[in-house]
Amino acid sequence: MDLSLNKRWAPVLFALAGLLLVAAVACGGDDGDDDAAPSGGGAAATAAPAATAETAAKAKPATGGSSGAGAKAAEPAKAAEPAKAADKAKAAEPAATVAQAKAKATVAPSGDTGGPEGSLVRAFRTLESVYGIGYVGPYRGSATNQIGGIEEALFIFDNGNPMTPFLVDTWDIDPAGTRARMTLKKGLKWQSPIGFEDKDFGELNAAELVEWFNRSNATTNPETTYGDGGDFAAIFLEAKAVDEYTIEIGLVAPVYYCLPVSQFGCLSAARGVHKVTSADTEGVEWARSHHIGTGPYVQGDCTPGDRCTMWAIDSHWRQVGNVASITGIQVPEATTQIAMLKNGAIDMTELDYKLLPDVVADGFRFLETMPGGFVGQSILFPGNLWEHSHARTAEPLAPWDGPTLAQDYPWIGNPWGHQGATCTDGDGAGHDLCGNAPYTDTDNGTGLDDMEQARLVRLALSTAIDRGAILDVLLNGIGTAIYSEYMGPEYPGWDASRTTGCWDWVGNTITCEGTVQDVPWKIADGDLDVAGDLLTTAGYPLVDGKRQGFEKLTLQAYSAEAGPVGLEVADTVMSDWARLGIEIDGLVEDYGGVISPRMRQRIQFLPVLKNGDVHSNVYPIDWPLPTVDTSSSRPGWGVGFESQPGAKWLFEILGEQDASVRAEKHLTWVDYSMFWLQYAGVFQVPKGIVVNDRIKSWNGYQQHYSNVSGNPEFIVLQ
């Protein structure tokens, strides 16, 4: 969609062009993050202008096969058999919000495409290396995933159903919820990379799918570094082949709703199937640098940190790409990207949101490639580790011995013991196992324990954020405020008048009294008086302009999914907090190389401005909140906080067959998290990419984890 045609952008865009049409909004999903540290190589300062169709046709390597015929779009959804309450659940599904109604997956083009022709150049701030076998790659996306088109998923999101079969023909879960069975479509050919067209890599069958599952899964392969390895481990046991095209895979606990094998991003996983046995036949090093999938594009020449080209094949089981070649190039500077758009050296790029109005005024479009979605940023509060044992394995976690409780950080609540107020196993709710932090806690406000003190601090920090000013000044009126990563305008179930109720830390509703009061879903914006009173009540009075006992607070920022504007947002947030009398510092570190590993190890204790695993507002109301927000994803990545009720509710929602019950449990989890301020939401903005007038349309499948569609086969040129 065209940015200039969107009602939500009207305050800014009326001044630009006076355009009066109305367009829907969009969502994206790409497991790779082009903000991660470069893998090597320099920036591409210049690039050749996009080739004409004739030039591309001459330059295209031979791919073989017949030209032209793209098969029809994905087949209709096939529901899991064992859902005994399927009809009841369908009837009971809550009404979608307006945004969710717009967020139904677009219909993929069908029929003859006329064959691939022409070429496009897309700029990335960082272009990664190629990571052909994810289970031995680094925790980041491959250049080939950034561009898209190689991998295909087992399931996609269609008509509100994230488990619409795609590579899968049929599937079911047994009535006891102990195993999933999937039967693949036949004839899904592994596509050969450029230069290896004469080599037959076979087809995706049960044996290949089993290897992909078991080598990727952190349960069956503890050495895996696959980005979805922990998410698989939370749900799956070992996969086994039943026949040539059918596998069975054990389930950690009953899961009737959604499995982490959908392109949409169910349960924190969004990557597609790729060939891993090439490591056995071609060698690990070859396999690492050659990405093989079943998709309509294949890998061409790729230079880390410089450029990588994907080529359309001439025939495909589902959809032949319209564009013959797509080249991604690394261009770190936004000013250079804009100059290259203007001189025709590139055709599309993701730009910082604050730059969009001027770029649109220059005649370019902000194209929303998956209607209905926003991407948000929030303050994460890592270090609040409230689980004593692993949710799946019961392994003791002993958070009281870790660095997040090495001292009494004001924003981290300690539900365990400390020196002078020790706890022992079983001495209270949630204390099946218990231990004592090394400090003595003496600074709590009158009548408060450390959990309530820290909650009031987090509530104060959230209340102090002037979201309206951030939207107006830094984002040019684009997007909306959010108040948690879990809930905000445009989310399913949003209710600006709702309050959370009051909760204890182990997930029981309690009477609201004293300082323990329910939290509005839509909190006051930038109210420094209320925020200051909360800090004083928490035990940090203001004396001579300084909060007593509140040591320096460092906010870590990351140029995350919303772009570099996030760093400026962090500066504004820190300014708001400094006005409370808190000494503030900012720290920018590489996310992929530094912050993410600390999150994975659960040793991060500084607040971080980015997003967790709720990448967008587009999801069904009845899905569980992220696996990675609990210990269930260990040893895989996590957001750095955990709670016992979240770990319990995760499996309750997954094991519930009634959609209306799942929806209520989802909202219960939202209430709990917003009461305890696990996130302080800041803003959300529509997803999309800036394009020139060569690109007519790009309507892809819904994906939860990216700003831009991972289905370049649906790009249509003018």
Side-chain angles (χ1 to χ4, degrees), residues 422-547:
T422 59
C423 68
T424 57
D425 293 355
D427 68 358
H431 281 190
D432 303 78
L433 297 180
C434 190
N436 304 295
Y439 60 82
T440 300
D441 187 10
T442 59
D443 64 357
N444 297 338
T446 303
L448 305 184
D449 62 12
D450 193 66
M451 287 291 282
E452 178 63 4
Q453 179 194 43
R455 188 187 73 87
L456 294 180
V457 168
R458 296 191 299 274
L459 180 58
L461 295 175
S462 183
T463 302
I465 298 171
D466 193 339
R467 295 167 177 84
I470 288 171
L471 287 166
D472 291 342
V473 176
L474 297 180
L475 294 167
N476 295 293
I478 297 166
T480 72
I482 57 173
Y483 307 93
S484 167
E485 176 151 312
Y486 288 162
M487 185 55 68
E490 309 290 345
Y491 282 63
W494 167 249
D495 180 356
S497 65
R498 181 164 171 152
T499 60
T500 63
C502 296
W503 300 82
D504 66 17
W505 69 279
V506 292
N508 300 307
T509 56
I510 58 176
T511 301
C512 298
E513 58 184 359
T515 66
V516 180
Q517 297 297 322
D518 57 359
V519 177
W521 273 19
K522 183 178 181 179
I523 66 173
D525 258 349
D527 195 327
L528 296 179
D529 291 335
V530 170
D533 290 344
L534 288 167
L535 289 178
T536 298
T537 301
Y540 301 107
L542 185 66
V543 178
D544 296 329
K546 179 177 174 57
R547 290 288 162 185

Side-chain angles (χ1 to χ4, degrees), residues 204-482:
L204 173 59
N205 56 22
E208 291 276 359
L209 188 59
V210 162
E211 290 299 322
W212 176 71
F213 267 121
N214 290 342
R215 298 191 196 194
S216 302
N217 188 343
T219 293
T220 51
N221 177 18
E223 302 302 316
T224 181
T225 55
Y226 189 51
D228 293 342
D231 307 306
F232 282 2
I235 303 299
F236 294 129
L237 300 172
E238 184 180 6
K240 298 178 180 179
V242 175
D243 58 36
E244 187 175 3
Y245 294 102
T246 302
I247 74 161
E248 287 188 353
I249 186 165
L251 301 176
V252 172
V255 180
Y256 295 106
Y257 165 64
C258 197
L259 300 173
V261 286
S262 171
Q263 184 185 23
F264 173 69
C266 288
L267 303 176
S268 309
R271 288 283 299 273
V273 181
H274 57 278
K275 187 177 180 69
V276 296
T277 58
S278 55
D280 307 330
T281 58
E282 313 301 318
V284 170
E285 291 309 311
W286 187 95
R288 286 167 65 103
S289 60
H290 293 84
H291 190 177
I292 299 174
T294 62
Y297 280 83
V298 296
Q299 177 189 332
D301 291 335
C302 295
T303 302
D306 183 13
R307 63 186 56 233
C308 185
T309 299
M310 310 284 281
W311 291 93
I313 57 176
D314 291 324
S315 63
H316 187 257
W317 72 272
R318 168 179 61 84
Q319 175 70 39
V320 172
N322 295 290
V323 182
S325 71
I326 304 172
T327 298
I329 64 173
Q330 179 166 297
V331 185
E333 297 297 329
T335 53
T336 307
Q337 293 176 7
I338 293 171
M340 294 172 75
L341 275 171
K342 291 179 177 179
N343 68 22
I346 64 173
D347 299 288
M348 51 185 169
T349 189
E350 292 178 79
L351 287 175
D352 195 2
Y353 281 81
K354 69 177 182 178
L355 302 175
L356 292 181
D358 288 341
V359 174
V360 169
D362 285 335
F364 298 95
R365 288 187 299 146
F366 181 81
L367 183 66
E368 297 181 270
T369 62
M370 295 168 288
F374 289 73
V375 59
Q377 283 195 239
S378 301
I379 308 291
L380 284 69
F381 289 107
N384 287 284
L385 300 173
W386 305 335
E387 291 185 60
H388 54 70
S389 301
H390 195 291
R392 291 183 291 107
T393 68
E395 171 193 1
L397 299 176
W400 44 83
D401 290 334
T404 68
L405 289 179
Q407 65 184 73
D408 187 14
Y409 298 105
W411 57 91
I412 295 179
N414 178 6
W416 318 109
H418 59 87
Q419 306 309 309
T422 59
C423 68
T424 57
D425 293 355
D427 68 358
H431 281 190
D432 303 78
L433 297 180
C434 190
N436 304 295
Y439 60 82
T440 300
D441 187 10
T442 59
D443 64 357
N444 297 338
T446 303
L448 305 184
D449 62 12
D450 193 66
M451 287 291 282
E452 178 63 4
Q453 179 194 43
R455 188 187 73 87
L456 294 180
V457 168
R458 296 191 299 274
L459 180 58
L461 295 175
S462 183
T463 302
I465 298 171
D466 193 339
R467 295 167 177 84
I470 288 171
L471 287 166
D472 291 342
V473 176
L474 297 180
L475 294 167
N476 295 293
I478 297 166
T480 72
I482 57 173

Side-chain angles (χ1 to χ4, degrees), residues 571-586:
D571 289 339
T572 302
V573 170
M574 288 188 289
S575 176
D576 291 337
W577 290 353
R579 293 163 65 194
L580 293 172
I582 301 172
E583 184 179 359
I584 299 293
D585 193 11

Side-chain angles (χ1 to χ4, degrees), residues 647-707:
K648 176 173 70 78
W649 292 331
L650 170 67
F651 290 104
E652 287 181 359
I653 294 172
L654 292 175
E656 175 58 56
Q657 298 185 52
D658 187 322
S660 62
V661 174
R662 292 197 301 264
E664 285 305 312
K665 288 181 178 291
H666 172 101
L667 295 176
T668 292
W669 195 343
V670 169
D671 282 338
Y672 171 89
S673 179
M674 293 183 76
F675 174 80
W676 282 104
L677 272 293
Q678 293 178 308
Y679 292 100
V682 183
F683 69 90
Q684 62 180 357
V685 284
K687 298 178 176 183
I689 189 169
V690 176
V691 302
N692 63 19
D693 59 7
R694 295 188 63 229
I695 299 171
K696 180 179 180 181
S697 64
W698 184 358
N699 294 318
Y701 301 120
Q702 285 289 350
Q703 296 169 243
H704 190 59
Y705 285 113
S706 180
N707 293 5

Side-chain angles (χ1 to χ4, degrees), residues 35-38 128 138-140 382 554 556-558 587-606 608 610 637-640:
D35 294 309
E128 294 289 350
Y139 184 79
R140 55 181 49 162
T554 298
Q556 293 207 271
Y558 167 56
L587 179 60
V588 177
E589 295 181 296
D590 171 53
Y591 181 77
V594 179
I595 301 176
S596 178
R598 286 204 297 258
M599 295 288 236
R600 178 172 179 160
Q601 297 171 55
R602 274 68 170 185
I603 61 175
Q604 173 78 18
F605 55 84
L606 298 176
V608 180
K610 66 174 304 288
W637 182 82
V639 295

